[in-house]
Amino acid sequence: MKPGAKTILRIIFLDRMHFRLLILTLSLLAAIFGLAVPYYQRIFLTNLSYLSLFICVVLSLFYLVFNQLTLFFGQSESIHSQRKLAEVLYGHNLKLKPLTLQKNTVGEIVSLYSTDVPSVTVWLEQSLPYGLTILFPLILTPLFLYHLYGLSLSFSFGLVAVLVFLNSLIAYRQSIFFFRFKVLFADRMGLVNEWIQNIKGLKVLNWVAGFENKIIKKRIEETRNRIDMMTNGQIMNSVSSNMMFWLNLALLGFFIWIHDQDFSKSDIIALLWVTVVFLARPLRQLPWFFTFVFDAWNSFKRLEEFFDLQNKPESIISNKKTEPHHILEVKNLNLQIDTHVLLKNINLNVKPKEIIALIGPVGAGKSLLIKSIINETPFTADIFYKEKVSYLPQDHFIMSASLRDNMNFNYQSSHEFDGQIVKHLSQAQFDFELDRVTQGLDTVIGERGLNLSGGQKQRVSLARQLMHPNSLLLLDDPLSAVDISTEQKLINEFVNLQDQGYSILLTTQRFSTLPYCSRIVFLDQGEIKYDGDAKEFLKLPEYNSFIKGLI
């Protein structure tokens, strides 16, 4: 059994085992008390004993109480398991690196939380308690009828087998509709998420209508599946409702035409209690029991597949630096995904008080190298040593909160550090007046920075890193969304950081940055082609065409 399957089954069936055993015990007691009712009912109708009547009433109450307690503990334990499974799923999701999740859309991952976690815990909420309250009556009733009336075990168990088979067929068809519902929901959520994230670009490109049509088509497909699912559900309800009629007809036919013993009124009443009252709930629940079992199995397989996703491990021979003054030392770093070599034989060192420009053509692997330095890729290396780093990605995370909260990276944060926040925003060239942020730090920024331009989001993210900078700052294209004047001011701030003892490794496509750099690292097709003095690089003729493209 795979680790993912073990994790799910342990949480659902083995966690808090005493409650699982309690559910089992309660369901068994409900079945025993339920079958004891017609036995004492028959005695009462024979001798009209008040004691027998009192026992019948008490047994009926216990039967109902134990049934309800079984369902109550099943539901409460299901909620507990949902919470724990969601926590484990969330923790596993956080550990997975972007390259591991590259084939999983946001919609698929959201659907795991919203549909599959509740669905798989149905095994505990409904399948276990309902299954036991169905299983015990269906097993004990034939034995009861055989003991009390001499009804053939082969006949009664054969009848049960036919009912189970027919219900399982209908339920399996219903589970297919449930599974398609989850898949279609995940697809639609993925489209909606992509639409929301790129709504501004879609408006500019006039693609809004086309993209909305894709969502509408998916919704229509989802609705049609839902209609089919509801129709099949009505058929299931109709079959389960009529099942009682055919069961009573079969039993009465047996006792009228096949059974050769006398059959009194008390026997008929006791038999009707068994078939009409005691078996009514199990038989009505039987098709839905199988539906939820099959549906939970589909969710189980989807969750198992996600839990079995594992990051390809890094392979580092040594994490000790060879030079005492290095704050970053990388030797022979390689990155290969499947058959694609993305980074090859990377050797890179960073010393204190250096500004290093990592440049190269589009797709050369610059951002991938930065992500490898922060351990977000499954690389191999002979030596990999780094001190603490600050990282500014190309995709800037902005919360739907105030500017103050975004800088503190905390909701409803205090005003205690407002002075520092304003200082570092200014350092990142974010000006309240020029950027038209009229309410200052209290300005509410919409979801994903809706109220900010690309350059503003970039500078807020930079200011956030400058509040608590580490010895090495990794800046992935920090000047891409700013104008020439702001760019020069930011370069001056980088030089000031260098004078304060910090080192900066940045990717850029701006030529104006290069003269201020201590070194230039030129990357092409995943290999470092040049690593040396910036002024010398600008004189080399083989890079003239690339440099002209930056000017």
Side-chain angles (χ1 to χ4, degrees):
M1 186 181 293
K2 295 181 179 179
K6 289 181 179 179
T7 299
I8 300 169
L9 293 176
R10 175 180 54 79
I11 292 174
I12 294 176
F13 294 112
L14 300 181
D15 188 38
R16 291 159 61 99
M17 178 58 71
H18 54 289
F19 281 104
R20 309 300 187 267
L21 295 175
L22 178 62
I23 294 171
L24 177 66
T25 304
L26 290 171
S27 60
L28 178 59
L29 289 173
I32 293 173
F33 277 87
L35 280 175
V37 171
Y39 178 80
Y40 281 96
Q41 193 176 57
R42 188 167 177 253
I43 295 175
F44 167 72
L45 293 172
T46 302
N47 56 26
L48 298 178
S49 167
Y50 287 110
L51 178 61
S52 301
L53 178 60
F54 176 75
I55 292 174
C56 285
V57 173
V58 172
L59 290 173
S60 299
L61 290 175
F62 273 108
Y63 164 67
L64 293 173
V65 168
F66 286 138
N67 251 323
Q68 293 304 312
L69 285 175
T70 301
L71 301 180
F72 169 77
F73 283 109
Q75 291 172 355
S76 62
E77 285 303 294
S78 173
I79 294 172
H80 173 82
S81 294
Q82 283 184 34
R83 182 169 59 248
K84 187 162 186 177
L85 187 59
E87 289 174 355
V88 174
L89 182 64
Y90 177 69
H92 181 69
N93 189 24
L94 287 180
K95 292 178 183 178
L96 296 178
K97 297 179 179 179
L99 289 176
T100 308
L101 289 170
Q102 59 183 340
K103 295 181 181 179
N104 298 84
T105 66
V106 173
E108 289 175 357
I109 297 174
V110 169
S111 72
L112 291 176
Y113 287 97
S114 59
T115 61
D116 288 310
V117 168
S119 180
V120 77
T121 53
V122 163
W123 275 344
L124 190 56
E125 179 183 357
Q126 295 190 11
S127 298
L128 181 61
Y130 284 147
L132 293 173
T133 56
I134 290 171
L135 176 66
F136 289 135
L138 291 181
I139 292 176
L140 295 178
T141 298
L143 299 175
F144 175 82
L145 294 176
Y146 172 76
H147 173 73
L148 214 60
Y149 304 109
L151 182 65
S152 170
L153 288 176
S154 59
F155 175 81
S156 54
F157 276 116
L159 195 60
V160 168
V162 170
L163 294 175
V164 169
F165 177 73
L166 291 175
N167 279 281
S168 63
L169 287 180
I170 303 174
Y172 179 73
R173 186 167 183 264
Q174 185 74 353
S175 70
I176 294 174
F177 291 126
F178 276 18
F179 176 73
R180 292 193 68 241
F181 166 77
K182 294 175 186 177
V183 173
L184 292 171
F185 173 78
D187 292 344
R188 181 169 59 86
M189 285 298 296
L191 289 172
V192 170
N193 181 73
E194 189 176 359
W195 174 64
I196 292 173
Q197 290 186 26
N198 301 286
I199 188 66
K200 286 186 177 180
L202 292 171
K203 285 182 179 178
V204 172
L205 298 171
N206 199 25
W207 287 351
V208 174
F211 210 91
E212 286 178 345
N213 285 334
K214 288 177 64 178
I215 298 174
I216 292 170
K217 287 179 180 179
K218 187 62 66 175
R219 183 60 174 170
I220 291 172
E221 189 179 357
E222 190 178 358
T223 302
R224 287 173 178 168
N225 179 73
R226 187 186 291 270
I227 292 172
D228 292 338
M229 183 169 64
M230 294 297 293
T231 303
N232 192 71
Q234 292 298 322
I235 294 172
M236 287 175 55
N237 289 332
S238 177
V239 170
S240 62
S241 299
N242 292 319
M243 199 178 296
M244 297 302 305
F245 169 77
W246 293 105
L247 177 64
N248 286 321
L249 190 64
L251 289 174
L252 288 174
F254 175 84
F255 284 111
I256 292 172
W257 291 300
I258 299 176
H259 193 61
D260 55 359
Q261 298 180 11
D262 293 336
F263 205 59
S264 64
K265 292 180 180 180
S266 60
D267 291 327
I268 294 176
I269 293 175
L271 182 63
L272 288 175
W273 165 269
V274 173
T275 57
V276 177
V277 179
F278 181 68
L279 288 179
R281 178 182 289 181
L283 291 178
R284 283 199 306 267
Q285 294 170 346
L286 191 59
W288 289 106
F289 164 74
F290 283 114
T291 298
F292 290 131
V293 167
F294 292 141
D295 179 56
W297 174 256
N298 289 329
S299 292
F300 171 79
K301 298 304 291 183
R302 282 162 55 87
L303 287 168
E304 179 190 20
E305 183 180 354
F306 187 80
F307 272 120
D308 286 336
L309 287 177
Q310 297 294 330
N311 295 319
K312 185 179 177 182
E314 303 162 353
S315 177
I316 302 172
I317 296 176
S318 174
N319 57 5
K320 295 181 179 180
K321 57 184 178 180
T322 58
E323 297 291 337
H325 53 281
H326 285 168
I327 60 174
L328 173 69
E329 183 172 338
V330 176
K331 183 176 181 182
N332 193 27
L333 183 147
N334 295 275
L335 176 62
Q336 180 174 330
I337 304 298
D338 298 327
T339 58
H340 304 288
V341 178
L342 304 179
L343 295 174
K344 184 178 179 181
N345 194 27
I346 300 294
N347 295 290
L348 180 64
N349 302 317
V350 178
K351 302 173 184 176
K353 302 179 69 172
E354 279 191 310
I355 299 179
I356 302 173
L358 180 60
I359 61 176
V362 174
K366 302 183 293 295
S367 295
L368 205 56
L369 178 54
I370 295 291
K371 289 179 180 178
S372 297
I373 294 174
I374 62 171
N375 300 95
E376 281 296 307
T377 67
F379 64 85
T380 63
D382 292 343
I383 296 176
F384 184 82
Y385 169 83
K386 67 172 179 179
E387 295 184 3
K388 288 184 177 181
V389 302
S390 298
Y391 171 58
L392 177 69
Q394 286 190 29
D395 299 324
H396 309 291
F397 177 75
I398 302 295
M399 303 187 298
S400 179
S402 69
L403 182 56
R404 177 185 296 103
D405 291 344
N406 271 278
M407 288 297 295
N408 286 323
F409 223 52
N410 187 25
Y411 289 105
Q412 298 178 346
S413 55
S414 69
H415 296 221
E416 180 181 357
F417 303 104
D418 282 5
Q420 294 183 39
I421 292 174
V422 172
K423 172 186 173 183
H424 292 297
L425 281 170
S426 176
Q427 192 177 2
Q429 306 308 308
F430 191 96
D431 186 273
F432 293 147
E433 183 176 350
L434 295 177
D435 286 293
R436 297 186 297 278
V437 180
T438 56
Q439 297 180 27
L441 295 180
D442 293 318
T443 302
V444 176
I445 301 172
E447 186 175 3
R448 299 184 62 83
L450 185 65
N451 302 332
L452 299 179
S453 68
Q456 288 173 322
K457 285 189 283 188
Q458 191 172 55
R459 282 175 283 143
V460 169
S461 297
L462 177 60
R464 186 191 291 152
Q465 295 302 323
L466 295 179
M467 283 189 69
H468 307 285
N470 288 304
S471 57
L472 175 60
L473 288 87
L474 304 175
L475 310 179
D476 196 353
D477 213 358
L479 307 173
S480 61
V482 298
D483 56 37
I484 295 175
S485 174
T486 304
E487 174 187 322
Q488 185 58 53
K489 293 176 182 177
L490 285 174
I491 292 173
N492 293 337
E493 290 296 337
F494 295 160
V495 173
N496 290 335
L497 287 170
Q498 179 187 22
D499 293 338
Q500 294 172 33
Y502 296 101
S503 293
I504 300 173
L505 175 61
L506 60 91
T507 68
T508 184
Q509 297 292 338
R510 300 288 184 95
F511 172 80
S512 55
T513 312
L514 304 185
Y516 295 90
C517 295
S518 314
R519 286 161 49 202
I520 287 178
V521 176
F522 185 83
L523 196 66
D524 190 14
Q525 296 183 348
E527 292 187 72
I528 293 179
K529 302 296 185 180
Y530 178 88
D531 182 359
D533 183 74
K535 294 179 181 178
E536 291 296 325
F537 175 82
L538 297 176
K539 297 176 183 178
L540 295 175
E542 58 263 38
Y543 299 111
N544 282 344
S545 60
F546 174 79
I547 294 171
K548 289 178 180 178
L550 300 180
I551 298 176

